[in-house]
Amino acid sequence: MKLPSYAATFVTATLLTSLTGTAVTAAAAQRDGAAALPSVNMEAAVKAAQIDPRRADDTLTPGAKASVLLVEQALRDRHLLDAKWVDGYFGTTTIAAYAKYQKSLGYSGLGANGLPGKASLTKLGADRFTVSRPIGPGSRVSSGGVVINTRTQSMLAEAKRLAGRNLVLDQGSYNPGGDPTSAGTHDGGGVVDISVKGMTSATRTSVARALRQVGFAAWVRSPAQGDWPWHIHAVAINDTDLSTQAQHQVGDYYLGLNGLSGRGPDDGPKVTIRTWEEYQRR
Ligand SMILES: [Zn+2]
């Protein structure tokens, strides 16, 4: 049977509409301005917020300038940051302004640690910017008698695979005041101490290397360096739950330092520094 020509036209038009539906929606969004908003790369902004406060100069973190500027402009417009600090450098003044913004949203403690979190950053960007490459610490879980978050858990699982051995945690995260020798580094998320019991010096180094490869700032610590037994201290780069002290250790790691208060040179195995998300995309 031959369809009347008007019926064939109707069928063709319906098919075309369904095929082009996505493009039509995108075009409509562009007309409304929604697709024209700039985007903040959250991974880059959080990385800058850990490194820039530790810099001796005003060097910008590569790849972060445009994103940091968008954040700083939004903070300025909320009267939380003076215009002279809107420069693409996520230094201590911008950290303090971001923490003030987090407090204004009702967050406290780690929720107001000055590092952009996904929820606060999304709110800051309402009608101004979208958030690309969002990151988060995941939920808190118990692991071998200590508490860590699920992002750290995934990172440790991959480090175990690379090292080819089990890793035992001496101390976990979210542990304020748990270990007075840790100077607040374990108060937030992303930080663990790994037992080196029974490991040779070479094994300790290879475990530290595996931890670094998956995105930890990790160091073998000796009794000569502090009031502690041999262990490996590891801080998950770009964990948005990091305490201030742990944020500083990540920044120092990027700057080639050892993460101790004396700010000595890094004494660990050299690897290409990557975050967990960068490692997964490598
Ligand atoms: Zn530690």
Side-chain angles (χ1 to χ4, degrees):
M1 177 188 120
K2 188 176 180 301
L3 282 172
S5 65
Y6 69 85
T9 305
F10 174 77
V11 168
T12 307
T14 307
L15 187 63
L16 272 177
T17 304
S18 68
L19 280 174
T20 57
T22 310
V24 168
T25 308
Q30 191 122 33
R31 267 199 315 278
D32 298 340
L37 287 179
S39 147
V40 165
N41 178 330
M42 183 174 173
E43 287 183 23
V46 171
K47 192 190 284 183
Q50 290 156 100
I51 306 171
D52 293 353
R54 304 300 283 172
R55 293 185 190 277
D57 57 21
D58 54 5
T59 304
L60 301 186
T61 293
K65 184 179 182 181
S67 295
V68 174
L69 276 174
L70 286 166
V71 170
E72 290 179 327
Q73 286 157 358
L75 292 170
R76 175 201 61 203
D77 291 352
R78 287 168 187 267
H79 308 290
L80 295 166
L81 185 68
D82 193 279
K84 74 177 171 197
W85 301 112
V86 178
D87 52 7
Y89 180 87
F90 213 127
T92 50
T93 309
T94 305
I95 289 276
Y98 202 92
K100 241 190 271 177
Y101 170 63
Q102 289 169 315
K103 284 179 190 144
S104 78
L105 297 176
Y107 301 150
S108 60
L110 294 174
N113 65 355
L115 280 190
K118 192 183 163 196
S120 64
L121 191 59
T122 302
K123 276 190 188 135
L124 186 66
D127 302 322
R128 303 184 66 109
F129 58 75
T130 58
V131 177
S132 66
R133 298 231 156 130
I135 44 176
S139 52
R140 300 181 193 190
V141 290
S142 178
S143 173
V146 301
V147 176
I148 57 176
N149 63 47
T150 50
R151 181 175 181 272
T152 302
Q153 188 177 43
S154 302
M155 293 171 69
L156 286 170
E158 179 60 7
K160 282 179 198 179
R161 195 186 68 77
L162 291 183
R165 60 180 300 136
N166 190 34
L167 301 177
V168 175
L169 301 183
D170 274 343
Q171 191 183 171
S173 313
Y174 306 107
N175 192 27
D179 180 351
T181 65
S182 297
T185 55
H186 288 258
D187 289 11
V191 184
V192 291
D193 282 347
I194 289 151
S195 169
V196 297
K197 209 172 155 190
M199 291 185 195
T200 62
S201 168
T203 305
R204 291 194 294 251
T205 302
S206 73
V207 170
R209 181 179 295 108
L211 290 161
R212 286 181 170 204
Q213 282 170 328
V214 305
F216 285 101
W219 295 276
V220 177
R221 298 301 196 207
S222 78
Q225 293 174 310
D227 188 16
W228 50 55
W230 282 99
H231 68 283
I232 295 173
H233 175 76
V235 184
I237 300 167
N238 266 14
D239 188 308
T240 52
D241 269 354
L242 293 179
S243 70
T244 299
Q245 296 87 334
Q247 294 169 33
H248 290 173
Q249 289 185 317
V250 169
D252 283 2
Y253 176 62
Y254 271 97
L255 299 172
L257 305 174
N258 65 3
L260 293 173
S261 56
R263 305 195 80 193
D266 179 39
D267 56 3
K270 299 290 171 278
V271 305
T272 302
I273 301 181
R274 288 193 180 98
T275 66
W276 170 234
E277 289 75 21
E278 287 165 346
Y279 172 80
Q280 291 173 285
R281 287 195 297 269
R282 80 201 181 285

